[in-house]
Amino acid sequence: MRLGLVLAEIGEKNKISVTEDEITRAIVERARQLPGREQEVWEYYRKNPAAVAAVRAPIFEEKVVDFLIELATVTEKNVSRDDLLEDEEDEKAASGPS
């Protein structure tokens, strides 16, 4: 849940939005997955704002993640297995007993 809140905050601050066209394309894609029932699927989304919100959410999150990836600078660093596990042990010790 926290991740969703963080993504929402980042998206809002950076004016990231989902267009009606993107939502329509996603709904059309879902309708295509049920051959012969496309009209029924379309009507379901037209009458159910919560279902549309459920389509919008992953599109929004993907756009925010894509935005963050564009900003990221990736560097590779070779570490030994012992060094890698040492970091994990340090984190466990810092968080206290489980």
Side-chain angles (χ1 to χ4, degrees), residues 2-93:
R2 279 189 250 173
L3 176 59
L5 293 173
V6 169
L7 291 176
E9 182 72 17
I10 292 169
E12 183 180 316
K13 285 188 176 185
N14 291 284
K15 298 179 178 22
I16 296 171
S17 63
V18 178
T19 66
E20 289 298 319
D21 189 47
E22 290 169 319
I23 293 171
T24 299
R25 281 193 305 251
I27 292 171
V28 166
E29 185 59 36
R30 288 179 185 209
R32 285 184 183 154
Q33 294 173 358
L34 298 168
R37 297 179 62 195
E38 294 89 353
Q39 188 62 35
E40 182 183 337
V41 171
W42 187 255
E43 287 296 316
Y44 170 77
Y45 284 104
R46 190 178 66 79
K47 294 177 181 178
N48 192 338
V52 174
V55 170
R56 180 191 174 282
I59 296 170
F60 178 77
E61 290 174 1
E62 184 176 335
K63 289 177 83 172
V64 173
V65 169
D66 288 346
F67 170 78
L68 293 173
I69 289 172
E70 285 179 25
L71 298 177
T73 302
V74 178
T75 56
E76 290 189 29
K77 178 181 176 184
N78 291 324
V79 295
S80 70
R81 183 174 189 270
D82 292 337
D83 289 342
L84 182 63
L85 294 176
E86 183 178 298
D87 287 345
E88 186 176 295
E89 290 170 7
D90 290 344
E91 287 178 14
K92 284 182 184 177

